Amino acid sequence: MTGIPSDDKTKKKMTMTYDVTRIASHRGGTLEFGDSTPQGFRATAAMALEEVEFDVHPTADGAIMVHHDATLDRTTDATGAIRDLTEAQVRAATIDYGAGGHPISLAELCEIFRESAVTFRCELKPGPGGLAYPGFAPKVVAELTRCGMLHRTGFSSFLIETVDALQAASDRPCVWLVSPPVLTQLGAAGVLEVCAAHGIAEIGMNIDSATAELMTQVRAAGIHFGCWGAHDAARIDRALEMGVKVFTTDRPSLAIARRTAHQTARQMEAAQ
Ligand code: FE
């Protein structure tokens, strides 16, 4: 017999609400500390939140670097695609608005978070042109294993091919990030079909695409629902009011303050 017994399915659906909506500091809190900066990651490691979101890319000489874009062009004083540069060349770039910081490796990020309670949400980005880096997922899993951080890592990707590769390379949770065009094209039913076909247990959507109805539909299928792009108070409040599992934010300090206010308001309501 295959599949989840119906009792377990019911239990799974019933438990798909969360006492606390998790906060993920997006790229180490881009709007507070610069984009994927050492200072942002160090600050995040000391914050009262649950996850740090970051993106990884391979270099020409086999290193794994933490950076959002596939190139250095937009957010640093250097140019070029990371996959075409050496680790030393990527490190030599200075990140804009980043207190003089330079891109760091995945191994260095592991060191920053070694003593922190904050867990990893590691996104595997495509390379220039939007295609997945060949063979990259097992390399990232191997590096996190070597650094002793795999057991504290969840993965994410917009690319189904990469989600498949991550799920084949490790048993760690993996979030499929559903972009607004994909949601528009597939609709909720189509998204759930893809989840079923690929064994996807959690999806993330842009907070501006997320509705309570959509979340209910996703959860009814036994799939966790989170959001990304909650970068201002209104969007953060919406994510908290919806009770999503997790949201990523470029403003982690603001998100913590809003969550505390939200929790206090809920407690006062309950006491009345
Ligand atoms: Fe990301």
Side-chain angles (χ1 to χ4, degrees), residues 64 124 133-145 150 155 162 164-170:
I64 298 173
L124 268 65
Y133 297 112
F136 190 43
K139 287 180 185 161
V140 174
V141 169
E143 181 68 346
L144 287 163
T145 303
L150 183 65
F155 293 102
T162 300
D164 286 344
L166 285 164
Q167 293 191 144
S170 116

Side-chain angles (χ1 to χ4, degrees), residues 26-27 53-55 68 121 123-125 156 158 177:
H26 187 233
R27 310 183 205 165
E53 193 273 356
F54 59 93
D55 311 275
H68 178 264
R121 178 184 171 113
E123 181 180 353
L124 268 65
K125 282 276 189 236
S156 67
F158 283 97
L177 302 169

Side-chain angles (χ1 to χ4, degrees), residues 98-137:
H102 309 280
I104 59 173
S105 65
L106 180 56
E108 282 173 284
L109 190 78
C110 290
E111 280 311 308
I112 290 172
F113 283 88
R114 188 162 304 286
E115 303 300 326
S116 168
V118 176
T119 61
F120 278 2
R121 178 184 171 113
C122 176
E123 181 180 353
L124 268 65
K125 282 276 189 236
L131 296 177
Y133 297 112
F136 190 43

